[in-house]
């Protein structure tokens, strides 16, 4: 969907719309740059001047806690001015289209839009019509893509010592409705992960999942056998039409991650979740709150990863400059 729109004529990242279409070098450059930004959050003055004078607009047409807030913190740590556009109080309610809203915000000399939208392809549409100086980052579009989530998940796996070339990763739950799962499968394949699994009931698996680069399992004990990383996904009731799971209790019994099921994974396997999580539905609290869980570190890493993406698309590789200031 994103085609070549993501790169400029010099093959430099211009917009971040999806993981699909990125190469391993670009992904590793983002992860390495993020590593240099982690320390910024640990300083007394948590700021570097990379985006001073730039205006970043958070444009979220769908609810968010983690992505919107970490983008805002990331932009502020890069010294940008940040506008959190209030959709509920905007002229969207009077029937203004997405592109007209964007055109009006662009007329206010803004530089970067972070776009979350219920429709797949929304960020792509905005990027296609954006003037050349404006940059777009997809913060989640329908079921299609959530590229910065995949990047922060990959960052977290590497931070916990997982070697992409050797690990087994299981993604569990509502694969069908999950943009997180799609982006994650893409990034793991690009990074050379040899064994990517999805575990779900048939009703929550898209057809031809193997073509996307993941092996399907329908039984938790089989799918979790020997894995190094477990990524639990939220049951997305708001995207379901009709009953796709028998009952919450039965779903938890079969697919909820418990200490008992975790036993078949590697002893040092980590448990990830992009949030928001449904305790007692896809994950038991005893696992979510255990030291195997990386759920809160994922959120913290999201700041550094989003700083890296913004720095790279706004000004090329600012790795060293960012670390020095
Ligand atoms: N992981 C994630 O996208 O969370 P939010 O919906 O809270 O942004």
């Amino acid at each position: 969907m994103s085609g070549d729109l993501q790169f400029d004529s010099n093959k430099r990242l211009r917009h971040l719309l999806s993981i699909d279409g990125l190469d391993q070098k670009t992904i590793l450059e983002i992860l390495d740059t993020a590593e240099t930004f982690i320390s910024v959050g640990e300083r007394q003055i948590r700021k570097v001047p990379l985006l001073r004078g730039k205006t970043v607009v958070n444009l979220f047409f769908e609810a968010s806690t983690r992505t919107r807030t970490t983008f805002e913190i990331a932009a502020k740590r890069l010294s940008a001015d940040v506008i959190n556009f209030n959709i509920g109080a905007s002229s969207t309610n009077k029937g203004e289209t997405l592109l007209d809203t964007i055109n009006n915000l662009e007329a206010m000399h803004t530089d970067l839009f972070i776009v979350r939208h219920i429709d797949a392809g929304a960020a792509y549409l905005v990027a296609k019509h954006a003037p050349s100086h404006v940059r777009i980052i997809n913060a989640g579009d329908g079921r299609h893509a959530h590229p910065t989530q995949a990047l922060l998940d990959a960052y977290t796996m590497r931070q916990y010592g997982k070697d992409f070339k050797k690990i087994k990763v299981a993604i569990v739950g509502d694969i069908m409705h999950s943009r997180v799962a799609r982006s994650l499968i893409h990034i793991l394949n690009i990074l050379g992960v040899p064994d990517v699994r999805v575990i779900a009931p048939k009703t929550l698996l898209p057809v031809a999942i193997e073509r996307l680069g993941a092996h399907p399992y329908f039984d938790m004990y089989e799918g979790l056998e020997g894995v190094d990383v477990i990524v639990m996904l939220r049951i997305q009731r708001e995207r379901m039409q009709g009953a796709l799971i028998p009952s919450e209790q039965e779903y938890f019994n079969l697919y909820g991650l418990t200490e008992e099921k975790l036993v078949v994974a590697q002893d040092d396997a980590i448990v990830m979740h992009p949030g928001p999580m449904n305790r007692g539905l896809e994950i038991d609290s005893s696992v979510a709150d255990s030291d195997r869980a990386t759920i809160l570190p994922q959120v913290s890493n999201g700041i550094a990863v989003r700083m890296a993406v913004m720095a790279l698309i706004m000004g090329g590789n600012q790795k060293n400059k960012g670390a020095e200031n």
Side-chain angles (χ1 to χ4, degrees):
M1 189 185 271
S2 47
D4 288 336
L5 210 53
Q6 299 201 106
F7 292 92
D8 65 16
S9 53
N10 296 318
K11 302 278 177 217
R12 283 206 344 218
L13 196 61
R14 186 165 127 77
H15 305 294
L16 180 63
L17 306 175
S18 79
I19 295 295
D20 193 16
L22 300 187
D23 55 20
Q24 193 180 94
K25 183 171 165 277
T26 303
I27 290 168
L28 292 175
E29 185 181 11
I30 294 170
L31 302 190
D32 292 345
T33 305
E35 216 165 283
T36 70
F37 284 132
I38 288 284
S39 65
V40 176
E42 292 156 1
R43 296 180 193 168
Q44 217 163 17
I45 297 173
R46 301 189 190 100
K47 269 195 193 294
V48 289
L50 291 174
L51 296 193
R52 191 160 52 199
K54 301 291 183 190
T55 302
V56 175
V57 183
N58 255 336
L59 200 54
F60 280 60
F61 291 86
E62 200 189 73
S64 170
T65 295
R66 284 145 287 268
T67 312
R68 197 199 60 74
T69 312
T70 53
F71 262 117
E72 180 177 353
I73 293 171
K76 286 179 172 169
R77 285 195 183 161
L78 292 169
S79 305
D81 296 318
V82 183
I83 309 291
N84 285 309
F85 187 71
N86 186 346
I87 304 293
S90 75
S91 291
T92 301
N93 290 336
K94 299 175 191 164
E96 189 167 70
T97 66
L98 171 62
L99 284 182
D100 280 336
T101 301
I102 296 274
N103 287 339
N104 279 272
L105 292 168
E106 278 168 6
M108 301 172 201
H109 304 291
T110 48
D111 301 287
L112 169 62
F113 288 92
I114 317 295
V115 180
R116 171 172 286 194
H117 202 281
I118 195 164
D119 293 333
Y124 172 80
L125 182 75
V126 174
K128 205 170 156 190
H129 290 90
S132 60
H133 69 279
V134 169
R135 301 286 181 267
I136 310 297
I137 298 176
N138 182 4
D141 60 331
R143 301 181 191 184
H144 170 236
H146 194 347
T148 56
Q149 181 68 45
L151 286 160
L152 76 88
D153 289 345
Y155 184 93
T156 305
M157 289 178 205
R158 194 171 78 163
Q159 182 186 46
Y160 278 78
K162 307 303 175 192
D163 180 346
F164 295 126
K165 301 283 184 245
K166 293 181 182 161
I167 52 174
K168 298 183 173 92
V169 179
I171 307 168
V172 185
D174 187 356
I175 313 293
M176 175 82 87
H177 302 98
S178 177
R179 56 194 175 210
V180 172
R182 277 172 188 74
S183 291
L184 188 54
I185 292 168
H186 282 309
I187 205 168
L188 295 175
N189 277 284
I190 295 167
L191 290 169
V193 173
D195 191 341
V196 182
R197 308 170 179 191
V198 287
I199 312 174
K202 278 200 173 115
T203 50
L204 294 181
L205 266 186
V207 286
I209 187 74
E210 274 166 312
R211 255 192 277 153
L212 207 64
H215 305 290
Y217 289 80
F218 304 103
D219 178 85
M220 277 289 264
Y221 290 96
E222 278 178 29
L224 293 180
E225 180 72 45
V227 299
D228 304 278
V229 178
I230 304 167
V231 181
M232 299 305 298
L233 297 176
R234 182 173 71 88
I235 291 288
Q236 302 196 31
R237 288 200 174 283
E238 76 277 14
R239 294 207 171 103
M240 289 183 189
Q241 282 155 356
L244 295 178
I245 56 172
S247 73
E248 293 196 350
Q249 189 57 53
E250 197 173 338
Y251 182 83
F252 178 71
N253 292 345
L254 292 172
Y255 294 100
L257 187 62
T258 57
E259 288 176 342
E260 188 195 352
K261 294 189 187 101
L262 193 51
V263 166
V264 300
Q266 294 287 350
D267 290 341
D268 64 350
I270 56 170
V271 176
M272 307 179 73
H273 195 308
M277 65 181 159
N278 297 303
R279 289 170 182 266
L281 179 52
E282 69 257 3
I283 190 165
D284 193 65
S285 279
S286 63
V287 177
D289 299 329
S290 73
D291 55 12
R292 307 282 286 274
T294 64
I295 298 164
L296 295 178
Q298 284 171 261
V299 177
S300 306
N301 291 338
I303 298 172
V305 167
R306 289 173 174 129
M307 285 172 79
V309 172
M310 286 192 277
L312 288 170
I313 69 171
M314 293 298 288
N317 189 344
Q318 301 273 10
K319 190 160 55 177
N320 296 327
K321 205 171 152 196
E324 280 164 15
N325 286 289

